[in-house]
Amino acid sequence: MSDTAPRPQGDYRAAVVAGGFAMSAGMTPRIDGRLTVTGVVGQAVSLPAAQQAAGLAACNALAAIAAELGGDRGRIRRLLRMTVYVACADGFHDLSKVADGASAGLRAALPDAALPVRSAIGVRSLPGGAPVEVELTAAVDGDGTQPPDALFGTRL
């Protein structure tokens, strides 16, 4: 897993760290800024492909957090919460099985931080036609690499 933050696809930060917590933006299954798969799960995207995409998206969320921590994954104390959004066909009910792919990706990338609680939510569509999007929250040591005035544009 790379600790280089995936590039935001809009006007937002890939991750923020404050008060001992880190939160990623919603991450899709991208490598070098390009989606590895597009489509709707249960139609053009199979369950195994969706699981693999969810694993990549979860690792992208973890990479965004790690990058905000200066690349030091050792500062991640515990993965707390993960939300997995699945663009799925009407009648597709294996949302938890898709989210299992995200859990597997996190377990492989960061086995010592333990799995978070999670939600798997079916939606009509996701940015760029992605089949999955993953958000991650973690407990971390210290604050991020950006001073507060860089985050908010003013001194606090």
Side-chain angles (χ1 to χ4, degrees):
M1 178 193 90
S2 168
D3 287 336
T4 302
R7 256 190 125 151
Q9 301 297 304
D11 191 16
Y12 60 91
R13 295 183 57 82
V16 295
V17 177
F21 295 99
M23 288 145 275
S24 78
M27 294 291 163
T28 52
R30 293 178 186 268
I31 296 176
D32 295 328
R34 301 184 83 153
L35 284 169
T36 60
V37 62
T38 60
V40 175
V41 180
Q43 287 179 348
V45 179
S46 68
L47 177 58
Q51 290 172 315
Q52 185 176 9
L56 176 56
C59 286
N60 283 344
L62 191 56
I65 288 172
E68 190 64 20
L69 294 170
D72 185 0
R73 285 191 275 157
R75 290 177 54 195
I76 299 172
R77 291 290 157 233
R78 182 75 165 86
L79 300 176
L80 299 174
R81 180 159 191 76
M82 176 171 60
T83 304
V84 180
Y85 298 96
V86 182
C88 59
D90 289 343
F92 182 84
H93 301 290
D94 288 332
L95 301 169
S96 187
K97 289 180 182 178
V98 173
D100 284 343
S103 294
L106 292 178
R107 185 187 310 273
L110 200 64
D112 294 336
L115 292 176
V117 297
R118 75 172 194 210
S119 297
I121 302 168
V123 298
R124 184 161 305 278
S125 67
L126 290 167
V132 295
E133 183 174 29
V134 175
E135 295 176 344
L136 189 60
T137 301
V140 300
D141 286 338
D143 285 326
T145 59
Q146 298 293 322
D149 57 336
L151 294 176
F152 300 109
T154 59
R155 292 237 175 240
L156 297 179

